[in-house]
Structure formats: structure tokens, C-alpha cells
């Protein structure tokens, strides 16, 4: 049975108006600060890139701070012995890529919307700026990382291969 959804927003029915373009761009700001949280303030999903452990982990990845906590998760970052079970690093990584996904949607979808050209260019430029900023921080913390220049639409797309820092720096420079 094939039904056309009438009460749901889909990617096919959205990204058609100026207001859709503005809302999609505003979502980037939401992921920077708020992220996605079905459970509110005490949910591990609460907060975006700049809300959670971004500031602590930035300093621990460098030599600007030392962990004096009993938490093995922060001490392991300080000692550069991070494994796949480190939740603060996992959540930061996820927040970076969710923000990049929002940027990619704007970069991919907004240029085709019939709207004020100056505003359209501004919104796409904002998305490129934030995507560049996310990748700048990612490669400073992790080195080579997966590069996503477009929204991942299929589970068949490779989401694990890493791209060299040099290639990502080229993307950052082109955006800025």
C-alpha cells in the first residue's frame, strides 16, 4: 500500500521556501548549543558541541590542562589513551558530525530554493563557515577524520574511511 504522507514533513516536501531555508540554517545553531535531547537537561544527549565537554576535552587533548578527576574517561584523554568506550569523546564526536550533517543539508538543499539570492548566499555561507569550524576542531583533536561533504542519504555510503588532514584543510580554506 503506497500512501503519500500528509501530516509529516519529508525531505521531498521540505526545503522549498525561504522560511524552510532559514529554519534549516537555524538548526545548525541549535546543534552547536542544544543538540538533540528527548529527555531534557539530565539526558546524555542534551547539549550540542559547545555545551557538553567540548571545552574540557579541548584542553585535555592539548597540554593546557591536566585531569585531576577520578574519572577514567577524562584521565584517559589526558594520557592520550582513548578507547571506543570513552563516552565524553564519543558524544563530542557525535555532536560534531550531527552539526556537520545540518550544515550539509543547508549546503545541498538551500541553493535550489527560489528565494532572495542575497539571503540564500548568506545562509549557505553560514553553513560552510560552521562546517569548516567543525572540521578544524575535529582534525586538531583527532587528525585524519571522515569527510562528509554531502548529507549521507544511504546506509550503503562509507562512513568510516578517514580523509587526510591536508585534504580537509583544503576544504576549510575554500569555505573561508
Amino acid at each position: 500500500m503506497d500512501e503519500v504522507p500528509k501530516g509529516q514533513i519529508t525531505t521531498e516536501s521540505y526545503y522549498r521556501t525561504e522560511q524552510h531555508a532559514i529554519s534549516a540554517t537555524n538548526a545548525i545553531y541549535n546543534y552547536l548549543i542544544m543538540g538533540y535531547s528527548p529527555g531534557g537537561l539530565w539526558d546524555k544527549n542534551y547539549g550540542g558541541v559547545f555545551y557538553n565537554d567540548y571545552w574540557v576535552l579541548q584542553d585535555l587533548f592539548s597540554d593546557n590542562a591536566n585531569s585531576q578527576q577520578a574519572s577514567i574517561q577524562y584521565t584517559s584523554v589526558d594520557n592520550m589513551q582513548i578507547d571506543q568506550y570513552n563516552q565524553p569523546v564519543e558524544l563530542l564526536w557525535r555532536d560534531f558530525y550531527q552539526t556537520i550533517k545540518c550544515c550539509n543539508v543547508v549546503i545541498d538543499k538551500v541553493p535550489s530554493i527560489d528565494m532572495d539570492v542575497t539571503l540564500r548566499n548568506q545562509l549557505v555561507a553560514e553553513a560552510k563557515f560552521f562546517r569548516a569550524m567543525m572540521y578544524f576542531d575535529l582534525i586538531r583533536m583527532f587528525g585524519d577524520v571522515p569527510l562528509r561533504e554531502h548529507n549521507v542519504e544511504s546506509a550503503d555510503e562509507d562512513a568510516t574511511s578517514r580523509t587526510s588532514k591536508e585534504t580537509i584543510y583544503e576544504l576549510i580554506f575554500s569555505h573561508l
Side-chain angles (χ1 to χ4, degrees):
M1 196 162 118
D2 293 327
E3 290 187 38
V4 177
K6 295 178 181 155
Q8 297 177 328
I9 297 174
T10 64
T11 56
E12 290 79 28
S13 67
Y14 204 70
Y15 309 111
R16 296 185 182 196
T17 69
E18 186 172 290
Q19 187 55 51
H20 293 164
I22 293 168
S23 295
T25 306
N26 286 345
I28 297 168
Y29 291 89
N30 188 57
Y31 272 102
L32 289 171
I33 305 300
M34 298 301 294
Y36 168 74
S37 176
L41 182 60
W42 304 111
D43 185 330
K44 73 175 183 172
N45 294 313
Y46 184 80
V49 170
F50 298 133
Y51 180 85
N52 288 326
D53 287 325
Y54 171 83
W55 307 106
V56 172
L57 294 174
Q58 283 277 51
D59 280 346
L60 289 177
F61 278 124
S62 71
D63 59 358
N64 294 336
N66 294 315
S67 175
Q68 300 299 320
Q69 297 185 12
S71 168
I72 189 70
Q73 296 190 11
Y74 294 100
T75 304
S76 68
V77 172
D78 191 24
N79 295 330
M80 298 305 265
Q81 298 172 334
I82 306 164
D83 63 20
Q84 70 271 23
Y85 304 109
N86 189 299
Q87 189 177 50
V89 173
E90 175 192 349
L91 294 176
L92 182 65
W93 180 274
R94 184 207 56 200
D95 288 342
F96 274 123
Y97 277 99
Q98 284 183 331
T99 305
I100 289 168
K101 178 181 178 176
C102 285
C103 295
N104 287 341
V105 167
V106 172
I107 293 165
D108 289 347
K109 304 285 186 181
V110 169
S112 64
I113 296 175
D114 183 26
M115 60 183 283
D116 177 72
V117 175
T118 303
L119 178 59
R120 180 176 56 217
N121 291 342
Q122 174 193 326
L123 297 176
V124 172
E126 287 178 49
K128 287 183 175 182
F129 169 80
F130 283 119
R131 182 169 73 177
M133 186 170 68
M134 295 298 100
Y135 276 119
F136 180 72
D137 283 338
L138 273 168
I139 61 177
R140 287 185 328 140
M141 286 189 260
F142 299 104
D144 299 346
V145 296
L147 176 62
R148 301 289 160 260
E149 292 187 74
H150 301 284
N151 191 27
V152 177
E153 301 281 346
S154 166
D156 296 332
E157 294 183 44
D158 180 20
T160 59
S161 65
R162 292 178 176 248
T163 303
S164 72
K165 293 186 301 190
E166 294 75 24
T167 301
I168 295 175
Y169 272 124
E170 289 175 18
L171 176 78
I172 291 169
F173 295 144
S174 74
H175 282 358
L176 302 179

